[in-house]
Amino acid sequence: MRIAHFSDLHYGSRTLAEADRCFGAAIDRAAALSVDAAVISGDATDHALDLHAPAARRLVAQVRRLADHCPVLLLQGTYSHEPPGTLGIFRALGGRHPIHVSEGIGQVVLTRGRGWQRCPDWRFEVLPRDAVAVFSCLPTVNKAELAAAVGAVDAAQAVGEHLERLLAGWAPSHRLARERGLPTIGVSHGTVFGCVSEHGVPMAGFDHEFTTGALFAAEAQAFMLGHIHRHQAWCRQGDRGKQLIAYPGSIGRFHYGEEGEKGFLVWEVGADDARCTLEATPARRTIDIVFEGRPDLDLLRDAIARQDVTGASVRVRWTVADEDRGAVDREAIQRMLVGAAEAKLEGRIVPVVRTRAAGISQLPHLEDKLRAWAKVAEVRPEPLLACMAALDHAQPEVIAARLIGSDTDSTPSTRHVLPESLSELV
């Protein structure tokens, strides 16, 4: 059986252009490959959407277009992205083929008539006669809710134990299907221990987490996962044939710095074998140019020439002190990025931190305050004290004459710079 596996479409107001371009191209490719069914394994939306929102209208239209080609299974994703109830509208789309929305734990079979038949319980004890494939669905489980009740450590252990028992409990149904020569597919949305994010960072979070051993113990030939935005896979060959676990990653590139190709998976699943290939989508190119200090326009020009920013989304980042924020020529940077599809300028301002000497305002004499300030500022107080003495006793004309003649003056005691503000001493 050939199955198109999409995930993490993240339709929203901010992501609409990227999501719709990539998902639309993926549907075209899936139709060209004549897939038998399609799976969307969670996070079809980026957040709660009003039905009249452009992102909602486009998502509904694209899923309907997919359902006109083949049966579709949609899985509930992360609650913060896809609030419970969001997917209910897809049950009423009325495409050429049915759409099954999985919002709870359970099994469903695809029938010879290309329809979906849901198990009334959490698993099949006897498979329907006209079944052609078995799908075991595990929507997102929010560990945060359990953590609030029993604590984070206990929640992780409790969720892990329940998931292991649940997955192992599906194994008998999958054995029955394998005996009849039927493909077996698990579908879920969560984190595999040891997986890596789209930014190359090991993942951990408040959504449920699996071990590969627990997933393989379900004895499904294919386990189609969502939630992680980077394509990755795990394979095991044994007495149950070839088993494969895989994330397709997000359909498009929604953040800067994402590594790897974007796309969807085309699976070939049999009774004792599974394999998949990543089909790339026309995801946007992103380029990060980072300066530790103020942007150097010459270096920026070189970076632009090396990386070809034409049509790409470019982010320029820098870090400057608070007093230098006005020295960054944003307009010049924008002009240099005129060929980019998007130019995002992000400046990080480091505030000036001033340190006061404890009790400085209580000292009786200005000389004592200056010595306390010099200690905090880690400078020698003697030159500053000499300058103060000169201000007290010398005439302004004498001080000016000494400064003007400082190149030949052999007594440079009055040439030291005074504190930036005398208010620092009081």
Side-chain angles (χ1 to χ4, degrees):
M1 174 172 285
R2 180 173 291 176
I3 301 171
H5 175 200
F6 314 93
S7 193
D8 295 270
L9 310 180
H10 285 280
Y11 269 75
S13 55
R14 179 185 63 85
T15 59
L16 177 54
E18 176 76 357
D20 202 48
R21 182 180 67 255
C22 293
F23 188 37
I27 292 171
D28 292 341
R29 179 61 177 157
L33 292 170
S34 300
V35 298
D36 301 303
V39 168
I40 301 175
S41 56
D43 287 359
T45 60
D46 194 55
H47 51 75
L49 293 175
D50 294 324
L51 282 179
H52 66 270
R57 294 201 304 269
R58 288 303 305 156
L59 175 60
V60 167
Q62 294 285 32
V63 174
R64 167 62 189 266
R65 192 161 70 89
L66 182 61
D68 280 341
H69 175 75
C70 65
V72 179
L73 187 153
L74 276 87
L75 189 80
Q76 169 70 54
T78 310
Y79 296 157
S80 58
H81 289 303
E82 207 164 60
T86 299
L87 301 180
I89 187 65
F90 293 99
R91 293 191 179 97
L93 282 191
R96 186 177 304 156
H97 300 281
I99 297 173
H100 174 70
V101 176
S102 179
E103 296 174 302
I105 296 169
Q107 291 184 313
V108 60
V109 297
L110 186 63
T111 66
R112 288 193 189 93
R114 306 192 85 184
W116 297 105
Q117 184 175 336
R118 184 178 180 276
C119 179
D121 202 352
W122 69 282
R123 72 175 181 187
F124 286 105
E125 301 296 339
V126 177
L127 294 175
R129 289 186 178 182
D130 61 345
V132 296
V134 177
F135 292 78
S136 300
C137 302
L138 176 56
T140 195
V141 176
N142 195 334
K143 194 171 66 180
E145 294 181 355
L146 193 57
V150 301
V153 175
D154 292 335
Q157 182 176 344
V159 170
E161 291 172 353
H162 284 298
L163 288 175
E164 286 184 12
R165 287 197 293 270
L166 170 67
L167 291 164
W170 277 334
S173 298
H174 294 152
R175 289 189 208 114
L176 289 174
R178 193 158 49 249
E179 290 170 2
R180 286 177 47 179
L182 304 181
T184 52
I185 300 102
V187 185
S188 190
H189 192 88
T191 302
V192 172
F193 282 116
C195 73
V196 178
S197 77
E198 67 274 25
H199 294 101
V201 178
M203 283 294 298
F206 281 110
D207 300 290
H208 59 271
E209 298 163 337
F210 310 103
T211 62
T212 54
L215 290 170
F216 286 133
E219 299 189 26
Q221 301 313 125
F223 227 109
M224 304 179 182
L225 297 178
H227 183 51
I228 305 303
H229 286 199
R230 181 173 181 158
H231 168 52
Q232 51 209 293
W234 299 262
C235 180
R236 185 167 80 172
Q237 184 80 46
D239 55 2
R240 304 178 187 95
K242 182 179 178 181
Q243 295 176 272
L244 187 61
I245 303 164
Y247 291 101
S250 58
I251 199 73
R253 189 167 282 108
F254 300 119
H255 305 96
Y256 286 89
E258 293 189 28
E259 301 173 356
E261 284 221 71
K262 297 298 179 180
F264 71 104
L265 294 179
V266 175
W267 289 77
E268 300 284 352
V269 187
D272 58 2
D273 182 60
R275 58 187 182 274
C276 67
T277 56
L278 181 68
E279 293 284 337
T281 54
R284 64 177 181 161
R285 287 192 305 122
T286 59
I287 296 173
D288 259 325
I289 303 174
V290 181
F291 294 92
E292 293 301 324
R294 192 170 69 186
D296 184 307
L297 296 184
D298 290 333
L299 292 178
L300 178 60
R301 192 174 292 106
D302 291 341
I304 291 171
R306 286 196 309 271
Q307 301 184 66
D308 184 18
V309 302
T310 304
S313 295
V314 183
R315 180 173 65 176
V316 180
R317 310 178 85 180
W318 63 85
T319 303
V320 295
D322 193 20
E323 59 265 28
D324 292 330
R325 66 165 68 200
V328 177
D329 192 342
R330 287 175 170 266
E331 291 185 2
I333 296 173
Q334 291 278 12
R335 287 194 298 272
M336 295 170 72
L337 298 174
V338 68
E342 176 189 37
K344 190 173 185 180
L345 309 186
E346 292 184 0
R348 178 173 173 263
I349 307 301
V350 180
V352 175
V353 178
R354 300 186 182 277
T355 304
R356 293 183 65 89
I360 192 171
S361 61
Q362 299 175 12
L363 296 175
H365 303 295
L366 187 57
E367 292 84 352
D368 297 329
K369 294 180 180 182
L370 192 147
R371 289 189 180 93
W373 174 86
K375 185 176 180 180
V376 172
E378 298 182 350
V379 298
R380 292 176 57 238
E382 292 80 10
L384 297 172
L385 290 169
C387 288
M388 275 186 50
L391 289 172
D392 274 343
H393 303 295
Q395 294 296 321
E397 295 80 2
V398 175
I399 296 173
R402 286 180 180 176
L403 290 174
I404 293 170
S406 60
D407 288 340
T408 57
D409 195 341
S410 60
T411 58
S413 59
T414 60
R415 294 175 54 203
H416 303 287
V417 178
L418 291 174
E420 184 177 313
S421 173
L422 289 177
S423 65
E424 297 178 9
L425 305 181
V426 295

